[in-house]
Amino acid sequence: MKARTVAVVDYESGNLRSVSQAVMHAAQGSGVDVIVTQSAADIMAAERVVLPGQGHMGDCMRALADSGLMDAVLHACANKPLFGVCVGMQMLLDRSEEGPTDGLGLIPGEVRRFRLEGRLQPDGSRYKVPQMGWNRVFQARPHPVWAGVPDGSYFYFVHSYFAAPALAAHVAGECDYGGRFAAAVARDNIFATQFHPEKSADQGLALYRNFLSWNP
């Protein structure tokens, strides 16, 4: 395997096709190889790792445990650049109300369900759960993965639960949907987003491109 390889973790619980295609597109001309893998050895050997996820967090955690890739993913979380996407971000926290389910415990905090029943948006329409569609993300602090991405850019969301980190220092981006919530988290060599960069046009590709050259 080439030294400059990005492993997209295939534990049969993520939107692998769209994520991997977007990362491959972002990697064009960079000399970085992108692989989709169910191999712990590939994840251990890769320079950096992408952890996707979608659906029920409990299902995702069980699938990761059953895949035999848990130790390799935890090693990546501790030792190399890792990008978590959607439920792949939520899994990084201690626990989720969905289930409830224990997470990986890498970022202190919990994942909570939107409670917006009966509340109205500024335009008079009712809030819907899940939040589905484009929303603005405000950068809570500078980070190399934000490089060149204008503050307040729009990204694409599909989710009923949101991350609530215990420490403000771990919030990298915020969004407003009935109140502010963490749309991106970051700690050491980890960067993760609740939104889907692979469905977020040019700004999403810019995040993946920045991730490919980020050296924490």
Side-chain angles (χ1 to χ4, degrees), residues 2 11 14 35 83 89 110 127 131 149 157 167 170 175 182 193 196 210:
K2 288 177 59 176
Y11 59 108
I35 62 168
F83 197 125
M89 164 186 162
E110 64 180 6
Y127 281 103
Q131 177 187 197
V149 177
F157 291 82
L167 301 176
H170 293 154
C175 183
T193 63
H196 291 270
N210 290 338

Side-chain angles (χ1 to χ4, degrees), residues 139 145-153 155 202-204 206-207 210:
Q139 297 166 24
V145 178
W146 289 132
V149 177
D151 192 24
S153 292
F155 292 90
D202 291 347
Q203 302 302 355
L207 292 187
N210 290 338

Side-chain angles (χ1 to χ4, degrees), residues 4-187:
R4 299 206 64 205
T5 301
V6 179
V8 181
V9 182
D10 178 5
Y11 59 108
E12 298 185 348
S13 199
N15 48 329
L16 288 167
R17 181 175 172 80
S18 57
V19 170
S20 60
Q21 287 188 336
V23 177
M24 289 174 184
H25 186 66
Q28 286 180 354
S30 68
V32 177
D33 274 352
V34 181
I35 62 168
V36 178
T37 183
Q38 296 182 332
S39 163
D42 285 349
I43 296 168
M44 295 290 285
E47 180 187 71
R48 54 196 71 222
V49 172
V50 177
L51 180 65
Q54 65 180 10
H56 191 287
M57 181 164 147
D59 293 341
C60 289
M61 287 297 298
R62 280 189 293 274
L64 181 59
D66 292 346
S67 71
L69 302 178
M70 178 73 80
D71 288 346
V73 168
L74 289 173
H75 181 269
C77 289
N79 293 283
K80 61 187 70 176
L82 180 134
F83 197 125
V85 182
C86 194
V87 178
M89 164 186 162
Q90 295 178 2
M91 291 164 67
L92 300 173
L93 278 75
D94 291 322
R95 68 193 65 84
S96 173
E97 291 181 347
E98 187 175 25
T101 304
D102 287 337
L104 298 173
L106 300 168
I107 293 179
E110 64 180 6
V111 178
R112 301 172 182 163
R113 193 181 195 283
F114 283 120
R115 291 179 173 85
L116 301 172
E117 293 81 1
R119 292 183 54 188
L120 300 180
Q121 301 193 63
D123 65 2
S125 63
R126 289 185 180 274
Y127 281 103
K128 295 180 180 179
V129 177
Q131 177 187 197
M132 186 179 299
W134 297 85
N135 207 338
R136 299 183 75 187
V137 174
F138 299 94
Q139 297 166 24
R141 61 182 176 90
H143 193 283
V145 178
W146 289 132
V149 177
D151 192 24
S153 292
Y154 282 86
F155 292 90
Y156 190 81
F157 291 82
V158 183
H159 64 125
S160 300
Y161 293 79
F162 63 91
L167 301 176
H170 293 154
V171 179
E174 292 183 307
C175 183
D176 194 300
Y177 195 69
R180 286 274 177 137
F181 69 89
V185 298
R187 176 184 182 184

Side-chain angles (χ1 to χ4, degrees), residues 182-202:
V185 298
R187 176 184 182 184
D188 304 324
N189 55 297
I190 295 171
F191 189 92
T193 63
Q194 179 62 67
F195 56 84
H196 291 270
E198 70 281 358
K199 298 179 181 178
S200 298
D202 291 347

